[in-house]
Amino acid sequence: MTNLDAVEGLDALTRSLARRTPEQLAALLTRHAEPLARRPAPTELRGLASALWSYETLHQLVVHLDHPRLTVLATAARLSQERAGQAAPGPAAPAPGADYQSLMAHRLSFAHLATEPVPAQDVFAALDATSPGLTRTAAEDALHALCDDGLAAPGEDGTIVVPPRAPQLLAGHDLGPFLAHAPRPVPDTAAPEERAATVPPTSPHDESRAAVATLAATVERLLASLATQPAALRKSGGLTVREIKRLAKAAGADEPHTRLLLDLTLAAGLIALTRTPSGITALPTGAYDDWLTRPPGARLAPVLAAWSDLWDVPTHTPFGETPTALVRGHDRHAPALRHALLAALATVPLGAGIPLPAVPLTEPPQRETDHRTPWTDLLRAADWYRPLAVTRRPMAEERAAHTLHEAAYLGLAAHGTLTPLGRALLTDPQSLDEPLAALLPPLLEQAHFQADLTAVVPGRPSAALTGLLASAADRESEGHAVTWRFTPHSVRRALDSGHTAATLLEDLTRASVTNTLPQPLDYLIQDAARAHGRMRVLPAACCIRSDDEALLKELAAHRALRALGLRAIAPTVLVSGRPPAATLDALRAAGYAPALESDTGATTVERLPAHRATAPAPTRNPQAPLTLAHRLLGLPTQPRQTEGDRQTERDRQPATAGDT
């Protein structure tokens, strides 16, 4: 093959791209958006063809090919290279002991990288798919899919051209015989009565609903903890073990799942890494505030969609490495591994699924052909969907087991098969709002206030209700119902944040299911309000003033407050040797209810810190691929029409005979 032949191969792909409609070309750009984003945006079709057939792009695209497409591509590449070698034999092998330059010149001789057009019939013959049937149909469909994805191009004479790098990329993989259909992970050999006896008592739908309900609450607590106290990263990258433990305790999850949720919320744009004078910290972005206003299903949708594309298996830590989170993933095979495992589970009927292996794996599964297990059958079936991403990777069994455990935790798998939510994710990760809305009930806006000074929400409270109750009560329990308890300390916290007794009672009454509050809660709030603010702490390092002279004398003589060094400078003023914050804490610990006052005499409203990071870059315009397709094809860009514009055009069209 000559350089001219290589140019003609790109010409064939360019002509194939030029024959597509803007919508077809936009679909191609969308499918390959991630690998193409790593290269400069093409300005012409020839540039797009070169980008598609570059080694870097091919190296990522072939990972996402199933067995039929990968086998057809590898076979066509092998035949193409053989034909190129016959047309232009390479130089003779160097003599033993040749220098390095001679060896590399032979290894990288053009014949080793060259390709020639291959008749499609030769490819089918090499796959034993010459006769009509399922095998021939599967091979033809795979070849058409490769051409649609730009991984092969039809020649003018009916031949097939493959990328020049394809033989070099796929030569080391033994894909075995051509299989038209995926092997079943669980042979259906049991009798009907035996299958009925193995059906679990709960359905995958019920398991998924319970899992996503827990997941929604856990993500909410995790982000709330980060908003209050950002997490510091190590200088070498990633969270420290101490920070992961703190966040796991706040979220109510174990450490592996906390690492998983941190990586998912980072990928979903809900948190970001921000550089500060003290180092890099992780904290919520501005998108988190909008996220809090969404219904439960819309909250989880971007988190689950991020899992399908994450370049890592966060719960899996290779031996000898320290578990961490919020580091950039480098496992480009992880998305293909997830797809393969979910696709294999989708074929498992209810009651026939295998139990998940415990992690970490204590013993590697048996892989001998005479000792097949359900686990190895599942991996063998997953291999068909993504041959280069499952068992051909290091630590394949461990990574697969952790991936399936993550799927179960996220509500995507249950009882050894896919849940309806898992099937929706497998079909389209960007269309999860509807299935999640069916799993998660709407948020509750009101609570049941009881005489024992508790408020119970029998479900998931809304962000507004959560904020109100959290400002005036302490969360006591969580599960199917969330319980808050009112105490003098919690009510005082609400008064410190700017509430008065009247406004707090009004807001709580509005949030009550019965529009009334029990008498003990009313008394508690009124008593706390009468005691609140009887003394004032000034930010002058610092003074305490009160109109109650007897109270100040009591403070000056209090043994528990000796560390403050209180002394009277006036009948109504004490001076403290500690800063305002320390003085406030000491007074409150001693059972008093001071209020903070500014240097102007106005009461200072105390609020919990709410940290935010700069919002990430805006999401790519969904119309961008279509706009680029029009530009590459040399067509004018179609202006976006609103529904009103389309209705106006329909109204302007004359009525036909059939309309009258």
Side-chain angles (χ1 to χ4, degrees), residues 8 60 123 138 199 212 229 321 448 452 594 624:
E8 290 178 351
Q60 187 169 341
V123 178
V199 174
V212 296
Q229 181 180 351
E321 296 185 9
H448 297 270
D452 62 350

Side-chain angles (χ1 to χ4, degrees), residues 52-321:
L52 287 173
W53 279 11
S54 67
Y55 185 81
E56 294 79 6
T57 303
L58 289 174
H59 199 247
Q60 187 169 341
L61 293 182
V62 296
V63 174
H64 298 275
L65 297 181
D66 57 19
H67 173 81
R69 289 184 293 168
L70 191 63
T71 305
V72 169
L73 179 61
T75 302
R78 176 178 56 82
L79 295 177
S80 179
Q81 189 178 42
E82 291 175 355
R83 291 169 63 91
Q86 295 171 1
D99 57 9
Y100 176 78
Q101 287 79 6
S102 300
L103 292 173
M104 290 304 297
H106 172 68
R107 181 69 184 90
L108 298 178
S109 60
F110 201 77
H112 288 81
L113 304 178
T115 56
E116 287 282 346
V118 179
Q121 294 299 328
D122 291 356
V123 178
F124 299 148
L127 298 175
D128 292 332
T130 55
S131 302
L134 293 178
T135 302
R136 176 59 178 266
T137 301
E140 291 177 345
D141 292 342
L143 183 57
H144 292 156
L146 290 173
C147 293
D148 290 340
D149 283 340
L151 297 178
E156 296 293 339
D157 54 355
T159 57
I160 299 299
V161 182
V162 296
R165 289 285 191 172
Q168 182 186 21
L169 188 62
L170 302 175
H173 298 287
D174 182 12
L175 302 175
F178 183 81
L179 300 177
H181 299 287
R184 293 185 61 86
V186 180
D188 191 11
T189 57
E193 58 274 9
E194 294 179 359
R195 291 197 300 268
T198 59
V199 174
T202 58
S203 68
H205 180 273
D206 295 335
E207 294 289 335
S208 181
R209 176 162 40 189
V212 296
T214 302
L215 178 65
T218 304
V219 173
E220 183 177 340
R221 290 193 297 266
L222 177 64
L223 293 175
S225 177
L226 281 173
T228 304
Q229 181 180 351
L233 273 69
R234 301 177 301 186
K235 292 183 178 179
S236 58
L239 286 182
T240 63
V241 175
R242 181 178 181 180
E243 287 283 20
I244 293 176
K245 290 181 180 294
R246 176 182 71 84
L247 293 173
K249 181 178 180 181
D254 57 24
E255 293 179 27
H257 289 148
T258 301
R259 299 198 306 268
L260 169 65
L261 296 182
L262 284 169
D263 286 350
L264 293 183
T265 50
L266 177 65
L270 298 176
I271 63 177
L273 306 184
T274 302
R275 185 175 297 277
T276 64
S278 59
I280 299 178
T281 59
L283 64 159
T285 64
Y288 168 62
D289 299 307
D290 175 66
W291 182 83
L292 287 174
T293 64
R294 301 178 188 175
R299 290 185 185 183
L300 282 188
V303 177
L304 295 181
W307 182 75
S308 64
D309 295 327
L310 196 65
W311 277 35
D312 195 10
V313 183
T315 58
H316 175 238
T317 303
F319 179 77
E321 296 185 9

Side-chain angles (χ1 to χ4, degrees), residues 406-500:
E406 290 178 6
Y409 177 73
L410 298 175
L412 306 173
H415 303 310
T417 186
L418 277 193
T419 64
L421 180 61
R423 296 180 188 276
L425 181 75
L426 184 63
T427 303
D428 184 5
Q430 304 303 323
S431 300
L432 299 179
D433 287 351
E434 185 175 346
L436 281 171
L439 293 173
L440 292 170
L443 298 177
L444 299 181
E445 301 287 346
Q446 292 182 312
H448 297 270
F449 292 87
Q450 304 181 112
D452 62 350
L453 299 180
T454 60
V456 180
V457 181
R460 291 287 315 287
S462 66
L465 181 59
T466 299
L468 173 62
L469 294 178
S471 68
D474 298 323
R475 187 175 296 206
E476 195 169 67
S477 65
E478 187 161 359
H480 296 293
V482 187
T483 303
W484 278 270
R485 180 170 295 278
F486 292 89
T487 65
H489 174 76
S490 67
V491 174
R492 186 178 64 205
R493 185 174 67 237
L495 298 175
D496 291 339
S497 65
H499 274 291
T500 64

Side-chain angles (χ1 to χ4, degrees), residues 554-572:
E554 177 184 335
L555 293 179
H558 203 298
R559 297 179 60 183
L561 300 176
R562 287 181 179 177
L564 297 180
L566 299 178
R567 65 186 187 277
I569 61 173
T572 58

